[in-house]
């Protein structure tokens, strides 16, 4: 995966309903500067309104997927608490935007993802990594506990596994990340693009309306008590059942034909 030479912090490429956003600060290991995070949010806002896009892939160029926050930029803020808070607020905004996006998001992880980079992987709806990739929340090693990455991490993997990563700051390999549930699967590096594309294409074959309804419901119900979650999910299914795409899909299943989705 290669970024463009136009100096853009994030490069967008579209291919048959799949939009790939490539982090393009390879010399800085794609550290999440304020400008980088703003660029990502802007792209996601644009994609959310783009009916031609059914799946979004977050990829990266260079020797790392993402090394986390831009520590040089943050150190330059000194003791300005408000400015530091703004960095973490923007990062939280970015993570929430990934999950509130209408389209499913796949993280394509070709190289190391640490701290807020690991947070992106945990936040994405799906993630596929190359077998040689390592992951870490290493803030504890420099006296800065990975508290915001912790939010996404603890919502994806077991508490004991999360605490080990957070308290030791040590890296885990892709096979361990798969076992923990941080990623869907690890594949040989040479097969990464094909694996991401195959997964994305399986998703693009579904109704975009149904995907959007389901993604929103997934994250909302996950934070609810069980009884409340079932009541909410029942309301969602009722609303979904009334949609034209649901009627088309059920009819196609009964009639043993391919469904034709209209997105409504």
């Amino acid at each position: 995966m290669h970024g463009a030479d136009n100096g853009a912090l994030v490069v967008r490429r579209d291919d048959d309903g799949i939009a790939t956003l490539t982090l393009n600060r390879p010399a800085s290991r794609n550290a999440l500067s304020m400008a980088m995070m703003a660029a990502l949010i802007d792209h996601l806002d644009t994609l959310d309104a783009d009916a031609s896009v059914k799946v979004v892939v977050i990829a990266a160029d260079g020797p790392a997927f993402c090394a986390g926050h831009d520590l040089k930029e943050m150190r330059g803020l000194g003791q300005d608490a408000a400015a530091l808070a703004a960095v973490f607020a923007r990062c939280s905004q970015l993570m929430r935007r990934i999950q509130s996006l209408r389209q499913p998001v796949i993280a394509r992880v070709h190289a190391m993802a640490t701290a807020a980079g690991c947070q992106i992987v945990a936040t994405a709806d799906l993630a596929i990594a190359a077998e040689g990739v390592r992951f870490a929340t290493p803030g504890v090693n420099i006296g800065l506990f990975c508290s915001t990455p912790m939010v996404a991490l603890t919502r994806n993997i077991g508490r004991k596994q999360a605490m080990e990563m957070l308290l030791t700051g040590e890296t885990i390999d892709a096979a361990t990340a798969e076992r923990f549930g941080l990623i869907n699967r690890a594949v040989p590096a040479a097969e990464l693009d094909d694996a991401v594309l195959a997964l994305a294409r399986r998703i693009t074959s579904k109704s975009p309306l149904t995907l959007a309804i389901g993604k929103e419901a997934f994250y909302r119900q996950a934070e609810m008590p069980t009884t409340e979650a079932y009541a909410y999910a029942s309301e969602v299914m009722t609303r979904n059942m009334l949609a034209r795409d649901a009627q088309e899909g059920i009819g196609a299943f009964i009639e043993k034909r391919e469904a034709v989705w209209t997105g409504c």
Side-chain angles (χ1 to χ4, degrees):
M1 184 67 60
H2 298 287
D5 295 327
N6 60 8
L9 295 173
V10 178
V11 178
R12 174 177 168 178
R13 177 176 55 83
D14 288 39
D15 180 20
D16 196 22
I18 303 165
T20 299
L21 300 179
T22 302
L23 309 184
N24 192 38
R25 294 185 72 202
S28 300
R29 301 175 68 84
N30 296 310
L32 293 178
S33 64
M34 287 289 274
M36 170 80 93
M37 291 187 286
L40 266 171
I41 292 167
D42 286 346
H43 275 289
L44 293 171
D45 286 344
T46 300
L47 286 165
D48 197 66
D50 190 338
S52 70
V53 175
K54 293 185 177 180
V55 176
V56 175
V57 175
I58 297 180
D61 188 28
F65 174 78
C66 177
H69 283 293
D70 189 328
L71 295 179
K72 290 181 179 178
E73 180 180 77
M74 291 178 65
R75 190 179 186 192
L77 299 175
Q79 299 296 304
D80 188 337
L84 290 168
V87 173
F88 297 116
R90 180 165 292 177
C91 183
S92 297
Q93 179 189 4
L94 169 60
M95 302 304 162
R96 292 195 308 269
R97 194 66 187 94
I98 291 171
Q99 290 193 335
S100 68
L101 194 72
R102 178 175 54 83
Q103 300 96 334
V105 176
I106 304 171
R108 174 200 177 275
V109 192
H110 75 292
M112 180 172 278
T114 57
C118 187
Q119 185 180 1
I120 291 176
V121 177
T123 300
D125 305 307
L126 303 164
I128 297 180
E131 287 177 346
V133 169
R134 300 189 72 83
F135 302 84
T137 48
V140 68
N141 296 329
I142 60 169
L144 184 65
F145 200 83
C146 281
S147 297
T148 46
M150 173 179 69
V151 174
L153 198 66
T154 55
R155 283 161 171 74
N156 276 259
I157 70 176
R159 291 190 176 192
K160 293 293 191 293
Q161 289 83 4
M163 283 296 278
E164 184 171 354
M165 289 181 68
L166 291 160
L167 292 173
T168 67
E170 294 174 356
T171 63
I172 60 171
D173 59 21
T176 303
E178 180 178 349
R179 179 165 54 85
F180 282 4
L182 179 61
I183 62 174
N184 292 81
R185 54 188 159 275
V187 299
E191 299 173 16
L192 180 59
D193 283 330
D194 287 343
V196 171
L197 184 60
L199 179 58
R201 283 183 172 162
R202 289 205 301 275
I203 296 169
T204 63
S205 70
K206 318 303 180 185
S207 157
L209 175 70
T210 304
L211 293 173
I213 289 172
K215 176 174 173 175
E216 178 186 16
F218 178 89
Y219 290 111
R220 287 189 63 180
Q221 65 80 29
E223 303 302 321
M224 296 177 181
T226 302
T227 300
E228 184 182 342
Y230 270 117
Y232 165 69
S234 296
E235 293 172 5
V236 172
M237 286 208 75
T238 300
R239 175 161 47 89
N240 193 171
M241 185 69 185
L242 296 172
R244 187 179 302 170
D245 271 1
Q247 296 301 313
E248 164 64 14
I250 293 168
F253 176 78
I254 292 171
E255 297 161 18
K256 296 181 172 56
R257 60 174 175 81
E258 289 292 318
V260 178
W261 308 123
T262 59
C264 57

